[in-house]
Amino acid sequence: MRPFFLFARRFFIPCGALVSSTLAASFSNVNEQKHHSILKSIGRTFSDKSMGGKEASMSPPPFDYDPFDSLRKNNFSDEEFKRCFRYFDSQKQGSWTREDFRRFLNALFSNKKRPYCILSDLIEQYFCETDFNQDQKIDFDEFFSAWKKTIKCAVKPVSALVIVDVQNDFISGSLALHSCPANHQGEEVVPVINQVIREVNFDVVAYTYDWHPLNHISFYENRHLRKSLPESPISADKANILDTVVFVGSSGVNGGVEQVLWPAHCIQKTPGADLHRDLIRVDNAIHVYKGTNPEIDSYSAFWDNQKLSKTSLDDQLKERFVTDVYVVGLATDVCVASTAMHAVENNYRTVLIEDACRGVNEKEIEVKRTKLNESGCIFVDSNVVPGMVSGEDRRPEVARGMFVENLKAIGHYNPH
Ligand SMILES: [Zn+2]
């Protein structure tokens, strides 16, 4: 899957960033420096005809009518899908030309009726993937099979906010982020997350907790309790805080267990394991406790680090028909990144809200950011989240994974 996303990501170009500061702001998923380098690379892209630069320099015009509104209002009935199909059928021949298909993509992938730019190569790729019988036009059945799930998800996503480990020990306690190499202030995520909770109507909110027993493998103070393997980069008795040790695995674990040593933190039922006092508690939320097995750490809120046992999070999200997972909290390069990666692996459209996260190590944050991006997770600032959750801001890069999964499920995916 990864090479595919690498390939696909090249084709989503925020046209507006070139022509409109308003739309540029909607791509605030990059910091200023990255933003400039992206703009530069877009400049290169536009001058390259092989990337479809010619037409990409013209931003598709905004449209007045959103043909997907009535699909949403009528709960995606088959009749509404037919009406939607007819809307783009300019020749009234019961099929779409390439131009009809392009108009469909522009309307679907838009932000408040302003289309995102999708380069012609990708439009062609989508067209070929949708045109099952290869007759160079899209009939209703092809449209319906290929796009039903993706449209539904883009227009009416079911969104969960997963708040990772906003616990006292990571903010002011034994593993406070301000003492870690990046010198981040963990507390800064609290007002941002609270604002997101107040402003955005999430279908589901989940809180995760690092929740360790006293004899947990990740504690520096416990390094003498277990034997390290000869191939460990450093033996347990010589290790310092933040060193990685390979311990002899306990029963059920094949081989050694690689473990970063952290100061003892988030011990079950201690004040350090409580959520920050100012963090808003949402009623009927999901609460996930991880890292409870003394022998295996668990950065992700879905699986432990050895992927031997899963928490209830995935089942609880699936029970609630969640399609989109927004990840926030602490720490960006550890538990937030692992949770986001597993959300992608579990086929959720995954979004990391960057200004609602703080991390341990800047270099590692960059490494994780690249890996997550390649896997299909996108990074945004909290100010764009209301539009995305409401289905008004429909981004092509988050829809791609679901489209491909759908094609695979119906047996029509053929990577070229
Ligand atoms: Zn921990």
Side-chain angles (χ1 to χ4, degrees):
M1 200 139 140
R2 179 183 289 183
F4 176 77
F5 274 111
L6 268 175
F7 171 68
R9 281 196 311 127
R10 291 163 49 214
F11 294 90
F12 301 121
I13 299 296
C15 290
L18 289 174
V19 294
S20 142
S21 59
T22 317
L23 262 194
S26 79
F27 274 81
S28 48
N29 56 337
V30 283
N31 65 32
E32 189 125 336
Q33 200 180 4
K34 273 181 223 134
H35 199 89
H36 285 307
S37 73
I38 282 180
L39 287 178
K40 260 199 215 158
S41 76
I42 290 169
R44 279 200 296 278
T45 300
F46 280 114
S47 62
D48 177 358
K49 278 188 184 167
S50 69
M51 287 291 289
K54 217 173 174 184
E55 86 279 26
S57 60
M58 295 180 289
S59 185
F63 48 90
D64 300 327
Y65 170 70
D66 186 340
F68 302 102
D69 273 347
S70 64
L71 257 170
R72 178 185 6 223
K73 282 181 197 132
N74 292 290
N75 214 20
F76 303 90
S77 69
D78 289 3
E79 199 44 54
E80 281 302 326
F81 269 105
K82 283 179 191 154
R83 202 189 303 266
C84 177
F85 184 78
R86 286 196 296 272
Y87 177 79
F88 295 103
D89 179 8
S90 61
Q91 318 274 315
K92 304 295 169 213
Q93 289 183 339
S95 61
W96 289 351
T97 62
R98 276 181 163 75
E99 177 56 22
D100 294 337
F101 186 73
R102 189 190 59 74
R103 286 193 301 116
F104 156 70
L105 289 185
N106 279 338
L108 182 60
F109 298 128
S110 56
N111 181 10
K112 297 181 177 68
K113 301 192 171 89
R114 301 189 70 135
Y116 283 106
C117 238
I118 308 174
L119 295 188
S120 56
D121 302 47
L122 186 62
I123 294 176
E124 181 62 21
Q125 190 183 335
Y126 269 128
F127 186 91
C128 294
E129 286 164 349
T130 307
D131 182 21
F132 299 152
N133 62 8
Q134 299 180 1
D135 63 353
Q136 305 303 312
K137 50 193 184 192
I138 307 294
D139 60 40
F140 176 74
D141 288 343
E142 288 168 333
F143 155 73
F144 191 63
S145 317
W147 287 91
K148 184 179 181 183
K149 210 173 157 191
T150 306
I151 292 172
K152 191 173 174 185
C153 201
V155 176
K156 195 178 180 184
V158 180
S159 300
L161 178 67
V162 177
I163 303 167
V164 177
D165 301 2
V166 184
Q167 293 165 278
N168 292 324
D169 271 347
F170 295 125
I171 294 169
S172 53
S174 56
L175 188 35
L177 291 191
H178 60 72
S179 306
C180 292
N183 297 123
H184 283 187
Q185 300 294 329
E187 200 165 21
E188 290 171 0
V189 302
V190 176
V192 184
I193 296 172
N194 284 346
Q195 188 166 348
V196 167
I197 290 173
R198 283 194 205 98
E199 282 185 358
V200 184
N201 194 17
F202 283 99
D203 300 279
V204 179
V205 173
Y207 298 89
T208 79
Y209 304 74
D210 221 21
W211 197 249
H212 299 313
L214 261 175
N215 58 344
H216 195 252
I217 189 170
S218 73
F219 295 172
Y220 171 76
E221 293 83 345
N222 292 339
R223 66 195 184 284
H224 303 298
L225 299 183
R226 294 166 185 83
K227 285 200 174 96
S228 51
L229 285 174
E231 58 262 42
S232 178
I234 189 162
S235 64
D237 54 327
K238 294 204 178 93
N240 290 312
I241 284 175
L242 293 185
D243 279 344
T244 300
V245 175
V246 182
F247 288 110
V248 176
S250 60
S251 61
V253 179
N254 288 329
V257 176
E258 198 176 285
Q259 179 65 53
V260 176
L261 295 180
W262 307 98
H265 61 279
C266 296
I267 296 167
Q268 296 170 2
K269 298 181 183 168
T270 61
D274 285 345
L275 297 179
H276 188 274
R277 63 174 181 202
D278 296 336
L279 183 68
I280 293 175
R281 271 68 158 178
V282 174
D283 291 340
N284 302 317
I286 297 170
H287 296 270
V288 176
Y289 298 86
K290 63 191 180 60
T292 56
N293 180 342
E295 304 305 325
I296 305 174
D297 207 357
S298 187
Y299 292 163
S300 157
F302 288 96
W303 287 94
D304 66 54
N305 289 3
Q306 304 288 319
K307 263 200 163 177
L308 289 176
S309 63
K310 61 189 279 195
T311 68
S312 63
L313 181 58
D314 186 43
D315 290 340
Q316 296 205 62
L317 297 180
K318 294 256 158 57
E319 272 168 26
R320 293 160 174 81
F321 307 104
V322 167
T323 59
D324 294 17
V325 169
Y326 291 76
V327 190
V328 297
L330 309 172
T332 321
D333 43 334
V334 190
C335 295
V336 169
S338 296
T339 300
M341 187 58 89
H342 286 165
V344 173
E345 287 175 18
N346 289 342
N347 292 326
Y348 297 104
R349 306 187 329 152
T350 306
V351 180
L352 192 150
I353 307 177
E354 233 174 355
D355 55 333
C357 299
R358 293 292 184 276
V360 171
N361 183 309
E362 293 287 6
K363 209 169 145 196
E364 200 53 30
I365 291 171
E366 253 335 284
V367 169
K368 294 288 164 59
R369 189 181 208 284
T370 305
K371 275 190 187 164
L372 282 165
N373 253 324
E374 288 171 4
S375 304
C377 172
I378 71 162
F379 287 68
V380 301
D381 273 344
S382 53
N383 62 332
V384 303
V385 174
M388 293 178 71
V389 169
S390 72
E392 281 183 301
D393 181 357
R394 304 189 289 255
R395 300 187 175 215
E397 65 269 41
V398 263
R400 181 72 193 160
M402 181 147 285
F403 177 73
V404 170
E405 284 306 310
N406 182 43
L407 289 190
K408 279 183 191 161
I410 57 179
H412 276 290
Y413 182 58
N414 235 333
H416 309 292

